[in-house]
Amino acid sequence: MEPGTHPPCAACGDDAHAACRACSYALCKACLDEDVAEGRAACARCGGEYAVSDPAHGKGIAVEEEEEAAVEDQLVAEGLRGRVTMANQLSDRQDVVSHARTLSSMSGVGSELNDESGKPIWKNRVDSWKEKKNEKKASVKKAAAKAQVPPVEEQIMEEKDLTDAYEPLSRIIPISKNKLTPYRAVIIMRLVVLGLFFHYRITNPVDSAFGLWLTSVICEIWFGFSWILDQFPKWCPVNRETYVDRLIARYGDGEDSGLAPVDFFVSTVDPLKEPPLITANTVLSILAVDYPVEKISCYVSDDGAAMLTFESLAETAEFARRWVPFCKKFSIEPRTPEFYFSQKIDYLKDKIHPSFVKERRAMKRDYEEFKVRINALVAKAQKTPEEGWVMQDGTPWPGNNSRDHPGMIQVFLGETGARDYDGNELPRLVYVSREKRPGYQHHKKAGAMNALVRVSAVLTNAPYILNLDCDHYVNNSKAVREAMCFMMDPSVGRDVCYVQFPQRFDGIDRSDRYANRNVVFFDVNMKGLDGIQGPVYVGTGCCFYRQALYGYGPPSLPALPKSSACSFCCCCCPKKKVEKTEKEMHRDSRREDLESAIFNLREIDNYDEYERSMLISQMSFEKSFGQSSVFIESTLMENGGVPESVDPSTLIKEAIHVISCGYEEKTEWGKELGWIYGSVTEDILTGFKMHCRGWRSIYCMPIRPAFKGSAPINLSDRLHQVLRWALGSVEIFFSRHCPLWYGYGGGRLRWLQRLSYINTIVYPFTSVPLVAYCCLPAICLLTGKFIIPILSNAATIWFLGLFTSIILTSVLELRWSGIGIEDWWRNEQFWVIGGVSAHLFAVFFAMWVIMHLYPFLKGLMGRQNRTPTIVILWSVLLASVFSLLWVKIDPFITGAETVATGACSSIDC
């Protein structure tokens, strides 16, 4: 402070008029006059004498400042400098008078005078003076508050933010009754007309063409049954809306954020079929999501143990050090470089940073160089050396034999890894390749995902898992926050096992001739399921609650009584005879077809340490989860996190152990835990098991699609995809998890939800009556026989009513869902194409193989006087070989595509 200037008044902040000679306690003239008028001429802090100064005598104040500096130096030694500094720098003394006085008192160490009760005398004076001072200025503050509108608005905004923190993070937007009521009425009308139509068809046979008539009636009944399975799960469609701003207000943002950690899973197998550049873009989009970096981890599963994938991921980690800070600095979308730089939009829109153009140009150049390096790796990998691949340090690549290699884990980025070029921490990036040995079942993608579940539980153990296919990138950087609006809302997320996002695709032509977008399923059927128990799991773009993957039931399940813990042990205590009614015995026996590894965490938390350890032992956690104490302990942590008792130096070794090929033997993995084995469509089985346990799922459709992926670009690939789905459905139909008979014991799967799952597994069988029905007109024309008798007036009404209700149902469905008629028509077209081709071969060939090879397969596999499920499943897999032969008839397919392309281009399809 310059000599001649005044320190602030300790009471009101104005220029000081006087200061205490002993403790430098300063007051302005108005405050000093009030003290003198009330008989307090001495210093209120130490009782010392004031030294008065004025502009003409600034020397006194300067001397006082030197004394104050000396006192402050003394306080620094005592660790109190921050308090004095804070007291001297308070800007708004009128609002914090009490605080200023309290802080000022700290500098008077050893100089306070106390009354009889031990309380400093000056504090009593200050309290009475403060009350009068506040009363005097209350009217002035009130007038200023009325005159200054902006402070009031700011206060309202602060109160609003505080209120938002306690508001729901999402809400259900029901479909308008004006749209839904007519839709439901037409469904009921169609059901009634359908019943009358069947009554007419059955009671009016055609004797002259009885075989054709019977065939047509059977086909029509099957079509009606299929329509019921497809239609009624859409009875209660809903839309949802999320409030990301409320999520931030409640849990905060940045380093001190209370947002839950999330582990991303990305799976890949063959880098020559799944280009490393596409996988790299997916990983880059994950690392750049709008979420606290310390709460994001990305695990990449390389199930082919390819050195090309490993080296590509190393290059990706290096490029991420430039790409991630660029994305977050300029808030770009999407945060995958390949699609960001290829956008045909005005990239300068809403960009105000002066260096954006320069940095964008440099980043694009860096990405082009990155692509060159990746392409060079791909070109190098086209021909495998005779001696196998060798790493940069000269050691052989452990995965040279993709079917016989040890487990491999490499952490590229993270807390202890490399930082970005701005010096900031990056999300953790982990390469994982599980061990494979001959003679072990590896269960393809489902097995790889379960390996990632265990590895991530040992290393990071985030409470939520978000899995993506290697060709599905994050299109909306706030996608994780969208999911957390459901998962972290106590009023919604406690019983939610997963949040499913719709699949959206790039590179599809405008007409979508192969119905790749699948709009009817994602925008109609899934909304309908969201109003029941939740959408089905579709294999990618899904955020899981980790505890649901461990076989635990939702918190809403009733807790078992404490005595039930002893029922697991035959020696810890004598059994009590419990009499059960016949109904209870029947119910318990029916519950046996539900999951055997379902535990309720609330039960475990109710026990003390000894009982808890006994309960864990009795529940045979090791038999269910495997021989890893670190992993088992992590499964009991509902909120995630690595157990404190674990030595960090042993985590990698433990992670290698849990991905060994024999770890899952004699455990519940793939049966009751994790991704469920038994079908190539493991996603349907996994979601079905969770719904049977009582969990529910949620469908999240943000305005900007959360994720985007690649779709088949030709008819051959599209039919191969449809064939795979159909084969998976047939496998589930012949397994013990068939929704027709599985999961009734607990009563937790709602009936409409069950209908949707039944529809999922029986739809391939529709191809048989579809082909038969399509052949009937030609047969009738050739034979001169007809399947319908001469129509009466009543029959005409039923036919017209049926056709009218079919049309009205479709129109009203388009109305409430908002999809276009072209998307609906493409879906209908490809349903017929798939029904007479891929679906037909997936049923037909499976049954053909089973009928011919059944005695051989039973003798080979069935040694317990019964037919094991694997016999049927193996038969179905053998049938896929014949199915693929049909799909791979290239001349026919190529010819069909050429004709279709020419026709579409000629009519601007």
Side-chain angles (χ1 to χ4, degrees):
M1 180 180 293
E2 294 289 334
T5 59
H6 295 210
C9 173
C12 65
D14 294 337
D15 289 343
H17 174 69
C20 176
R21 296 182 182 275
C23 65
S24 303
Y25 184 80
L27 289 177
C28 66
K29 190 174 187 305
C31 295
L32 180 63
D33 291 341
E34 283 190 45
D35 281 1
V36 172
E38 294 176 6
R40 296 193 297 270
C43 174
R45 178 190 295 170
C46 65
E49 184 177 351
Y50 284 108
V52 181
S53 64
D54 51 47
H57 299 82
K59 182 179 178 180
I61 296 294
V63 173
E64 303 268 335
E65 289 174 0
E66 293 177 3
E67 295 177 358
E68 182 178 353
V71 173
E72 182 174 344
D73 291 339
Q74 180 182 355
L75 292 176
V76 168
E78 299 175 6
L80 299 175
R81 177 174 184 176
R83 299 179 182 177
V84 177
T85 304
M86 186 183 298
N88 292 338
Q89 292 181 351
L90 289 175
S91 60
D92 191 0
R93 300 289 175 170
Q94 294 182 356
D95 296 333
V96 288
V97 171
S98 175
H99 186 53
R101 293 263 182 158
T102 304
L103 291 173
S104 301
S105 67
M106 295 180 182
S107 62
V109 180
S111 61
E112 296 181 354
L113 300 178
N114 302 331
D115 58 11
E116 295 179 355
S117 62
K119 183 178 181 180
I121 298 176
W122 68 269
K123 285 189 177 181
N124 298 330
R125 298 176 181 175
V126 169
D127 290 340
S128 60
W129 178 88
K130 181 178 62 177
E131 293 176 1
K132 294 183 180 181
K133 191 79 171 179
N134 290 339
E135 290 176 359
K136 181 178 180 181
K137 297 182 178 180
S139 57
V140 178
K141 288 184 178 181
K142 188 174 181 179
K146 291 182 179 180
Q148 297 177 358
V149 178
V152 175
E153 292 179 349
E154 292 177 3
Q155 183 179 3
I156 293 176
M157 291 299 295
E158 291 177 0
E159 293 177 354
K160 182 178 182 299
D161 292 340
L162 187 61
T163 304
D164 286 347
Y166 296 96
E167 290 289 331
L169 303 181
S170 65
R171 73 182 180 102
I172 295 177
I173 305 177
I175 306 297
S176 172
K177 291 184 178 180
N178 296 332
K179 297 180 180 179
L180 203 56
T181 302
Y183 176 67
R184 291 173 175 173
V186 170
I187 292 175
I188 298 298
M189 181 187 74
R190 180 174 174 179
L191 186 63
V192 172
V193 172
L194 190 63
L196 296 173
F197 171 78
F198 285 147
H199 178 267
Y200 167 78
R201 292 286 283 135
I202 294 173
T203 57
N204 291 271
V206 180
D207 296 331
S208 60
F210 187 80
L212 296 177
W213 168 84
L214 182 61
T215 301
S216 66
V217 170
I218 293 175
C219 293
E220 290 164 359
I221 291 176
W222 180 266
F223 295 149
F225 173 69
S226 299
W227 170 75
I228 291 174
L229 294 179
D230 180 69
Q231 186 65 69
F232 279 90
K234 296 182 284 190
W235 184 261
C236 304
V238 297
N239 292 314
R240 295 183 184 270
E241 185 178 43
T242 57
Y243 303 101
V244 177
D245 53 341
R246 294 180 183 177
L247 179 76
I248 298 174
R250 179 178 297 186
Y251 294 103
D253 205 357
E255 296 182 357
D256 299 330
S257 171
L259 294 173
V262 179
D263 288 339
F264 277 81
F265 290 176
V266 179
S267 58
T268 183
V269 181
D270 188 351
L272 299 181
K273 295 181 180 179
E274 300 165 334
L277 187 61
I278 299 298
T279 304
N281 273 271
T282 298
V283 172
L284 289 170
S285 68
I286 293 173
L287 299 178
V289 293
D290 185 9
Y291 208 74
V293 293
E294 68 277 4
K295 298 181 184 293
I296 290 291
S297 299
C298 178
Y299 293 84
V300 180
S301 170
D302 177 17
D303 220 31
M307 194 172 81
L308 172 58
T309 302
F310 179 84
E311 292 181 335
S312 299
L313 205 60
E315 289 286 351
T316 303
E318 180 62 27
F319 179 72
R321 299 175 61 194
R322 295 184 177 90
W323 174 252
V324 173
F326 171 77
C327 293
K328 296 188 174 182
K329 180 178 181 180
F330 300 110
S331 302
I332 67 168
E333 296 283 358
R335 298 188 176 182
T336 173
E338 182 67 26
F339 295 96
Y340 170 70
F341 290 121
S342 63
Q343 290 182 114
K344 304 300 181 181
I345 61 172
D346 180 13
Y347 62 85
L348 295 178
K349 185 179 180 180
D350 300 328
K351 296 296 185 294
I352 59 176
H353 202 285
S355 65
F356 172 69
V357 175
K358 180 180 179 181
E359 292 191 37
R360 183 184 185 276
R361 189 181 299 115
M363 182 54 62
K364 187 174 182 179
R365 183 173 60 253
D366 291 341
Y367 177 64
E368 295 295 335
E369 294 174 355
F370 169 73
K371 289 173 63 176
V372 170
R373 293 194 296 271
I374 296 295
N375 292 334
L377 293 175
V378 174
K380 176 184 174 183
Q382 296 299 317
K383 185 177 180 180
T384 305
E386 294 182 359
E387 65 278 7
W389 298 108
V390 179
M391 294 188 291
Q392 293 182 355
D393 59 357
T395 59
W397 171 246
N400 276 323
N401 187 343
S402 61
R403 298 183 179 181
D404 187 4
H405 64 84
M408 295 178 284
I409 296 177
Q410 176 66 46
V411 180
F412 286 103
L413 301 173
E415 183 179 358
T416 59
R419 294 177 174 262
D420 65 26
Y421 281 87
D422 292 339
N424 300 316
E425 181 182 343
L426 289 168
R428 181 175 301 198
L429 177 61
V430 184
Y431 169 88
V432 179
S433 182
R434 56 179 174 147
E435 181 186 18
K436 286 189 177 181
R437 300 297 181 189
Y440 288 90
Q441 283 285 345
H442 301 296
H443 303 290
K444 298 184 178 180
K445 179 183 177 182
M449 298 304 291
N450 284 338
L452 288 184
V453 171
R454 298 191 294 270
V455 168
S456 62
V458 172
L459 296 181
T460 52
N461 197 32
Y464 301 104
I465 294 171
L466 202 157
N467 84 289
L468 292 174
D469 289 342
C470 63
D471 60 347
H472 276 68
Y473 64 88
V474 181
N475 183 65
N476 183 348
S477 63
K478 298 186 183 296
V480 182
R481 298 179 186 266
E482 296 277 352
M484 292 301 107
C485 285
F486 300 106
M487 290 296 199
M488 298 189 68
D489 191 342
S491 62
V492 178
R494 57 196 307 266
D495 290 340
V496 175
C497 56
Y498 60 82
V499 175
Q500 178 66 61
F501 293 88
Q503 291 186 17
R504 304 301 188 208
F505 302 98
D506 287 314
I508 300 177
D509 59 285
R510 184 173 57 87
S511 62
D512 190 18
R513 69 188 66 170
Y514 304 135
N516 280 309
R517 293 192 180 95
N518 219 348
V519 176
V520 173
F521 175 76
F522 286 112
D523 290 21
V524 180
N525 295 60
M526 297 287 266
K527 286 184 179 180
L529 292 175
D530 198 19
I532 308 173
Q533 199 172 344
V536 298
Y537 169 44
V538 297
T540 184
C542 186
C543 182
F544 284 96
Y545 180 40
R546 185 183 286 269
Q547 295 294 322
L549 286 170
Y550 290 158
Y552 293 115
S556 61
L557 281 180
L560 296 176
K562 245 188 175 184
S563 59
S564 65
C566 294
S567 64
F568 292 92
C569 182
C570 60
C571 59
C572 64
C573 62
K575 292 185 178 180
K576 296 181 180 180
K577 185 177 180 180
V578 181
E579 296 183 359
K580 295 184 179 181
T581 64
E582 183 179 353
K583 183 178 180 180
E584 290 175 338
M585 294 177 65
H586 177 69
R587 181 194 61 194
D588 292 344
S589 63
R590 293 294 300 275
R591 285 173 64 96
E592 291 180 0
D593 67 350
L594 283 176
E595 60 291 302
S596 61
I598 177 172
F599 308 129
N600 194 334
L601 286 178
R602 292 194 304 164
E603 300 169 13
I604 300 175
D605 292 338
N606 291 334
Y607 294 91
D608 57 30
E609 193 64 30
Y610 174 76
E611 291 174 323
R612 181 185 176 95
S613 62
M614 289 295 296
L615 184 62
I616 292 175
S617 175
Q618 292 156 10
M619 285 183 171
S620 304
F621 270 40
E622 289 188 352
K623 184 178 180 181
S624 298
F625 294 107
Q627 301 290 328
S628 172
S629 58
V630 176
F631 174 71
I632 291 176
E633 189 173 356
S634 71
T635 64
L636 301 177
M637 305 177 68
E638 284 188 86
N639 299 322
V642 179
E644 296 180 358
S645 59
V646 177
D647 183 3
S649 62
T650 64
L651 289 181
I652 294 295
K653 182 179 179 181
E654 193 69 23
I656 291 290
H657 168 61
V658 298
I659 60 172
S660 59
C661 57
Y663 184 85
E664 293 185 355
E665 284 194 339
K666 298 181 180 180
T667 67
E668 297 295 338
W669 284 101
K671 303 171 187 175
E672 306 295 339
L673 310 180
W675 270 256
I676 305 302
Y677 305 149
S679 171
V680 294
T681 52
E682 71 288 331
D683 46 5
I684 299 296
L685 271 181
T686 303
F688 175 63
K689 291 282 286 188
M690 292 182 181
H691 284 141
C692 285
R693 294 182 182 124
W695 293 96
R696 71 180 314 270
S697 54
I698 283 180
Y699 196 49
C700 181
M701 294 183 65
I703 297 176
R704 180 181 180 87
F707 310 102
K708 281 190 175 183
S710 303
I713 58 176
N714 55 57
L715 183 60
S716 177
D717 290 342
R718 176 65 167 140
L719 287 176
H720 185 276
Q721 182 186 61
V722 173
L723 174 64
R724 178 180 174 274
W725 295 342
L727 280 173
S729 297
V730 174
E731 288 174 338
I732 297 174
F733 180 84
F734 288 113
S735 72
R736 76 181 186 93
H737 290 117
C738 178
L740 287 169
W741 50 74
Y742 180 84
Y744 286 95
R748 302 166 192 160
L749 185 66
R750 298 184 183 180
W751 278 99
L752 289 180
Q753 192 78 15
R754 183 178 296 278
L755 288 183
S756 71
Y757 276 111
I758 293 175
N759 183 50
T760 301
I761 65 164
V762 303
Y763 79 89
F765 296 97
T766 306
S767 60
V768 176
L770 178 62
V771 172
Y773 210 72
C774 291
C775 295
L776 283 176
I779 296 175
C780 290
L781 290 174
L782 292 174
T783 60
K785 299 178 180 180
F786 297 96
I787 60 176
I788 300 175
I790 298 175
L791 295 180
S792 61
N793 292 335
T796 303
I797 293 175
W798 304 143
F799 274 99
L800 291 176
L802 182 61
F803 292 135
T804 303
S805 62
I806 292 174
I807 295 173
L808 287 177
T809 303
S810 301
V811 171
L812 293 175
E813 198 169 87
L814 296 178
R815 184 168 174 253
W816 69 254
S817 65
I819 67 173
I821 189 172
E822 184 179 9
D823 292 322
W824 174 83
W825 179 242
R826 291 301 186 197
N827 182 79
E828 294 294 316
Q829 284 181 318
F830 205 80
W831 177 78
V832 176
I833 294 173
V836 299
S837 58
H839 296 173
L840 178 65
F841 278 77
V843 176
F844 177 73
F845 273 117
M847 297 300 297
W848 188 261
V849 171
I850 288 174
M851 287 188 295
H852 282 73
L853 300 182
Y854 178 76
F856 167 74
L857 294 174
K858 186 176 181 180
L860 179 66
M861 304 294 293
R863 293 187 293 268
Q864 300 177 358
N865 200 25
R866 65 182 181 88
T867 304
T869 303
I870 194 172
V871 172
I872 301 175
L873 296 181
W874 191 37
S875 304
V876 174
L877 292 176
L878 287 174
S880 64
V881 176
F882 297 96
S883 305
L884 291 176
L885 292 176
W886 181 87
V887 176
K888 293 299 183 180
I889 302 176
D890 288 336
F892 172 78
I893 298 298
T894 305
E897 290 180 22
T898 304
V899 173
T901 305
C904 287
S905 60
S906 62
I907 62 175
D908 192 19
C909 187

